[in-house]
Amino acid sequence: MNGAQSLVHTLVDSGVDVCFANPGTSEMHFVAALEDIDAMRGVLGLFEGVVTGAADGYARIADRPAATLLHLGPGLGNGWANLHNARRAHTPLVNIVGDHATHHKQYDAPLDSDIEALAGSLGTWVRRSRCTSEIGRDAAAAVAAAREGAGQIATLILPADASWGEGGERGVLVAPPSKSVVNPATVDHVASVLTSGEPAALLIGGGACREAGLLATSRLAVATGVKTFVETFPTRLERGEGVPMVERLGYLPEQATVQLGNIKHLVVAGAKPPVAFFAYPGVASNLVPEGTQVHMLADTAQDVVRALADVADLVAGDVEPLLQRAVRRPLPSGLLTPQNWIDVISALLPARAIIVDESNTSGLLLPAATAGAPRHDVLTLTGGAIGYGLPVATGAAVAAPDRPVIGLQADGSAMYTISALWTQARENLNVTTVLLNNHAYAILRLELQRVGAGADGPQADNLLDLSGPDLDFVKIAEGMGVPATRATTAEELAAQFSAALSESGPHLIEAIVPSLF
């Protein structure tokens, strides 16, 4: 077998059987290998940012890595922003980047670049296969590396001659190390902090945002009165009826300051101590209140769920968690507003839905409105690089074809990776996108005020405005094979959302919602 075939066989043997791809000349032998190895599903994205975002969404739902296939350094560069989001999400991802043949590198061909430097900027595992016989071994090591700790990006650079050369061998599977268990002394210390009588808060993230971690967190809150918060942008948060509702820490420093006010202790589990997303004049970057002691129960690579359960067993005994009761918002009426479009989604959200949230300013009221909806998962923009929503929804739908995927998408960020709609149509994925069109980068209008850059004016407004010409997302979606409608009232949105959910395949609803800013 050749090197590409040994790579694909090893990936499949390791449980990686989906590859999101945008290949080029250097990757053609990998493409050809898919003809012989039908256990690997190849999914084409028309832009590398769709490829990397889809791999992120897939792994968040499947709890195992997908592979990407990217063309040289420029392909990796095009996909970098959503790899950044995946890195922040601790997503396990095997990132395969083709390169020129070894003997061709000396000529500095036009597409040649320093792939190691670009991949290394993600701060994760990077390896170049040196010859055909090593590809299988390297692929097995990449999968194991991707699964280390909470998960990470493992980039394998694949020279074309190593790919086409004969003498490939299946790699021997490498078991990733188990998550480390938190020291019992740390558990005892945190238990003493929470029972000290001094005001405290508990901030959870990562795996703690799933049911088992939320149950332990709620038990601690009921038993000790500790304030509990989920990190601002969790990788995957389980919510809804029957699951403890834990408030997310606010995006704006002023919000977080109020939430964390007057505490003496902050216990962190599966997250990092909170900092402001950006620096603002006269505003502290560190969101931990001055004088507050920070206690790290478990970092992202440790078994945070077990650690929380151990603390809860010590201090909460037989205390039962507080579960969210079912609450359905009534269907609203009238022209769409930043509030009532969310009420429509809450009223009609199906059970087991996966919400991919990139609604940005239009969705500020979403968490409160959907707290009591049927049980669902929420995926968020972990790294802040916009253009994640449509690709991540694509990957989530590939991972869970039996679950409805709901993409809540802002208009400006949609345009970064709009071609994900084409992949959704091609793969007939059950994704319903509600695209909030307010004709603006509304979040930047807010930030313009907050950074103290000066008053609005025509020049500044022109750089934040998305009208003139208006984007017609119905036509854009239809041009990519996705049925689309437009809603201007709550009644129209409710009817169109219900219809989309009742039919298989992708749909897009352009919801005309005025901006909050």
Side-chain angles (χ1 to χ4, degrees), residues 277-311:
F277 220 71
F278 298 104
Y280 300 99
V283 178
S285 295
N286 185 359
L287 299 181
V288 178
E290 188 174 351
T292 296
Q293 287 184 272
V294 176
H295 310 269
M296 181 62 71
L297 172 61
D299 63 30
T300 56
Q302 293 178 298
D303 191 341
V304 60
V305 175
R306 177 174 172 178
L308 284 167
D310 287 347
V311 177

Side-chain angles (χ1 to χ4, degrees), residues 19-23 27 30-31 51 67-71 96-98 158:
C19 180
F20 298 95
N22 187 277
E27 296 77 42
F30 186 105
V31 172
V51 170
T68 67
L69 182 64
L70 305 175
H71 183 43
I96 300 163
V97 184
L158 188 65

Side-chain angles (χ1 to χ4, degrees), residues 49-50 53 82 85 358 381 385-392 409 413-414 416-417:
V50 173
N82 274 329
N85 290 326
E358 195 175 22
L381 180 56
I386 65 174
Y388 111 106
L390 294 173
V392 166
Q409 181 63 54
S413 51
Y416 281 54
T417 48

Side-chain angles (χ1 to χ4, degrees), residues 31 46 63 80 115 118 190 236 243 256 270 308 331 377 387 421 492 516:
V31 172
L46 299 183
D63 288 324
W80 196 93
I115 299 174
L118 188 57
V190 168
R236 177 178 173 181
V243 181
L308 284 167
L331 278 172
D377 287 282
L421 295 175
E492 290 172 347
L516 278 171

Side-chain angles (χ1 to χ4, degrees), residues 45-53 77-82 85 358 360 381 384-392 409-421 435 440-444 463-464 466 471 473 476 480:
L46 299 183
F47 173 65
E48 292 88 344
V50 173
V51 170
T52 54
N78 281 343
W80 196 93
N82 274 329
N85 290 326
E358 195 175 22
N360 298 342
L381 180 56
I386 65 174
Y388 111 106
L390 294 173
V392 166
Q409 181 63 54
D411 52 350
S413 51
M415 290 303 296
Y416 281 54
T417 48
I418 194 70
S419 65
L421 295 175
L435 193 143
Y441 285 124
I443 185 66
L444 296 183
L463 292 180
L464 310 180
L466 298 181
L471 292 164
F473 287 98
I476 292 171
M480 295 194 188

Side-chain angles (χ1 to χ4, degrees), residues 67-278:
T68 67
L69 182 64
L70 305 175
H71 183 43
L72 302 170
L76 176 59
N78 281 343
W80 196 93
N82 274 329
L83 288 173
H84 163 78
N85 290 326
R87 177 177 69 92
R88 289 292 187 180
H90 298 284
T91 297
L93 193 157
V94 179
N95 191 40
I96 300 163
V97 184
D99 197 10
H100 290 301
T102 307
H103 64 271
H104 194 63
K105 291 286 287 182
Q106 62 183 310
Y107 299 109
D108 191 26
L111 274 172
D112 192 43
S113 63
D114 190 344
I115 299 174
E116 280 89 349
L118 188 57
S121 66
L122 293 165
T124 53
W125 187 96
V126 180
R127 181 179 295 180
R128 174 183 290 271
S129 287
R130 295 179 297 175
C131 61
T132 299
S133 62
E134 294 181 355
I135 290 177
R137 180 205 66 183
D138 293 342
V143 177
R147 288 174 165 162
E148 283 186 6
Q152 64 174 338
I153 298 163
T155 298
L156 179 60
I157 303 169
L158 188 65
D161 53 336
S163 182
W164 72 52
E166 293 297 323
E169 300 175 0
R170 269 183 158 105
V172 177
L173 305 190
V174 179
S178 302
K179 289 186 177 181
S180 62
V181 177
V182 172
N183 191 307
T186 302
V187 171
D188 291 341
H189 170 71
V190 168
S192 67
V193 168
L194 296 181
T195 56
S196 68
E198 295 188 314
L202 170 61
L203 176 67
I204 64 171
C209 299
R210 310 278 282 273
E211 183 178 23
L214 294 168
L215 290 172
T217 298
S218 180
R219 289 174 61 205
L220 289 169
V222 173
T224 70
V226 62
K227 296 180 179 181
T228 57
F229 301 100
V230 170
E231 61 186 340
T232 306
F233 294 105
T235 298
R236 177 178 173 181
L237 174 63
E238 294 188 9
R239 303 186 78 240
E241 179 186 358
V243 181
M245 202 287 284
V246 181
E247 184 180 354
R248 281 166 62 179
L249 197 66
Y251 166 77
L252 298 177
E254 294 86 347
Q255 295 171 312
T257 297
V258 171
Q259 290 170 305
L260 298 176
N262 302 317
I263 64 170
K264 298 298 183 184
H265 301 276
L266 176 64
V267 176
V268 182
K272 293 181 178 180
V275 298
F277 220 71
F278 298 104

